[in-house]
Amino acid sequence: MSNSDKSVTKTFGILTAGGDCPGLNAAIRGVCRAAYDRYHMNILGIAGGYRGLINGDIRPLHPGDFWGILTRGGTILGTSREKPFKSNEIGEDKVKEIKDNYRKHKLDALVVLGGNGTNTTGYLLAQEGLNVLGLPKTIDNDIEGCERSFGFHSAMAVCTDAIDKLHSTAESHNRVMVIETMGRKAGWLGLYSGIAGGGDVIIIPEIPYDIKAIGRHLKERAKNGRTFSIVVVAEGALSAEEANMEKKERKKIRNEMAYPSIAYRVAAEIETETGMETRATVLGYVQRGGIPSASDRVLATRFGTFAADMLARGEYGKMVAQIANEVGSVDLSVPAGKTKKVPTDDPILDTAVAVGTCLGV
């Protein structure tokens, strides 16, 4: 009996959705090479995420399409933030279009590579009767049920390199430099890159900050001869006052302040509180671009080949995940609609405090 005869899945579609991220192509390669070489599956590439599945932008993928893409950034399939289950004004039934195209192309399964939103949509499609398998990608590392997503390590390296570079500018000008990282509502990226880059203050969403506590820390550093400081702030950070507000009230106040982003607001608050010259730098999309790190290449490849084995066994309705430092899987209901945040008792926080870092309180 050949491996193709052993495989439950004969034909599957694969798509990438949400934001781009280092390691997507490595994961695509891992899935496709193992599925094609080991199990002789037919592979259909879906362009532009769920939008391509809605519009029928689907084509066969051949070995030449997924060879030589291990080190490439971005995604050869393209992506979008299409949310098919979100209601729309013109009455399109996007879910029906997805199901029709799934059947039209005789797919046995659908492999979706993405973050919280992508895997949540995958879960909802599984509830509609489709065979779905998810892979976790995000630089934010905020996918519930997975210890580490591919893309996180690469983004952390970019952020750490930027912090390293800003150290010399801060020291030369005796300034406080505020560096903003991505991460949405979770502080993993800011916390880990802040520790790796020697941040003097790290502000994350899970620990609402007190500007007076930060001011005291920075003035104490200056008193001890440290005439410059590095402040790392995650984009979802909020003050202690904001933490007690309703979302609408918090949004209203932020709009009235009219700062471009949280880094600029924190920089202004620090300057007012301490009198120290302060500058803000927003790292932005450079965190998501470029080639994946060696670690992310390995992780994405492991996730991909594991997914191919799951397809062969017909294990659907799950997301591949790193669990206890090993590759395994969780039910798609685990990450659906959730955000994995930094626990306030995580030992990494004590590590930061132990080396003199202020966490904003």
Side-chain angles (χ1 to χ4, degrees), residues 211-216 219 268-276:
I211 194 63
K212 292 192 177 300
I214 292 171
R216 286 194 298 271
K219 285 187 280 190
E269 290 174 336
I270 288 173
E271 201 158 82
T272 299
E273 184 68 26
T274 66
M276 298 175 180

Side-chain angles (χ1 to χ4, degrees), residues 14 22-24 26-32 34 111-114 119 133-138 141 143 145-152 295-311 319-323 325-329:
I14 184 169
L24 277 170
I28 292 168
R29 171 181 175 269
V31 176
C32 294
V111 177
V112 300
L113 285 68
N119 283 286
L133 186 60
L135 272 77
K137 71 87 197 163
T138 175
N141 199 40
I143 301 177
C146 184
E147 291 172 352
R148 190 188 125 199
S149 54
F150 64 84
F152 175 67
S295 179
D296 272 340
R297 294 179 202 182
V298 173
L299 184 63
T301 302
R302 290 185 71 198
F303 281 177
T305 57
F306 194 88
D309 290 340
M310 290 180 69
L311 288 171
M319 181 187 74
V320 178
Q322 179 173 295
I323 306 166
N325 209 34
E326 295 294 333
V327 177
S329 66

Side-chain angles (χ1 to χ4, degrees), residues 39-86:
Y39 299 109
H40 314 299
M41 295 181 203
N42 298 312
I43 308 165
L44 299 183
I46 301 163
Y50 288 112
R51 184 178 299 161
L53 194 53
I54 293 166
N55 298 333
D57 194 354
I58 302 169
R59 67 178 180 87
L61 288 184
H62 304 292
D65 295 311
F66 46 81
W67 286 347
I69 63 172
L70 174 66
T71 62
R72 286 174 59 179
T75 163
I76 62 167
L77 296 174
T79 186
S80 71
R81 294 193 181 277
E82 178 67 58
K83 296 178 174 61
F85 285 89
K86 189 175 181 180

Side-chain angles (χ1 to χ4, degrees), residues 108-124:
D108 298 312
L110 177 66
V111 177
V112 300
L113 285 68
N116 302 80
T118 300
N119 283 286
T120 297
T121 299
Y123 169 71
L124 294 173

Side-chain angles (χ1 to χ4, degrees), residues 37-204:
D37 294 347
R38 181 175 287 178
Y39 299 109
H40 314 299
M41 295 181 203
N42 298 312
I43 308 165
L44 299 183
I46 301 163
Y50 288 112
R51 184 178 299 161
L53 194 53
I54 293 166
N55 298 333
D57 194 354
I58 302 169
R59 67 178 180 87
L61 288 184
H62 304 292
D65 295 311
F66 46 81
W67 286 347
I69 63 172
L70 174 66
T71 62
R72 286 174 59 179
T75 163
I76 62 167
L77 296 174
T79 186
S80 71
R81 294 193 181 277
E82 178 67 58
K83 296 178 174 61
F85 285 89
K86 189 175 181 180
S87 60
N88 58 84
E89 296 178 357
I90 59 177
E92 293 178 315
D93 192 342
K94 296 178 180 179
V95 176
K96 181 179 182 301
E97 293 295 326
I98 285 176
K99 292 164 73 174
D100 287 347
N101 280 317
Y102 181 93
R103 296 186 184 102
K104 175 183 176 182
H105 290 274
K106 299 180 180 178
L107 299 180
D108 298 312
L110 177 66
V111 177
V112 300
L113 285 68
N116 302 80
T118 300
N119 283 286
T120 297
T121 299
Y123 169 71
L124 294 173
L125 289 174
Q127 301 307 296
E128 293 286 328
L130 275 59
N131 294 326
V132 182
L133 186 60
L135 272 77
K137 71 87 197 163
T138 175
I139 67 168
D140 304 329
N141 199 40
D142 63 349
I143 301 177
E144 191 66 46
C146 184
E147 291 172 352
R148 190 188 125 199
S149 54
F150 64 84
F152 175 67
H153 186 277
S154 301
M156 181 172 58
V158 170
C159 293
T160 303
D161 182 61
I163 294 168
D164 289 347
K165 288 179 168 64
L166 288 168
H167 262 283
S168 59
T169 295
E171 186 172 11
S172 297
H173 293 271
N174 296 323
R175 288 174 177 164
V176 177
M177 301 296 289
V178 180
I179 301 132
E180 181 180 317
T181 68
M182 286 181 167
R184 300 201 308 169
K185 297 178 181 179
W188 298 102
L189 185 56
L191 178 60
Y192 274 73
S193 61
I195 292 173
D200 304 300
V201 178
I202 300 174
I203 308 172
I204 60 175

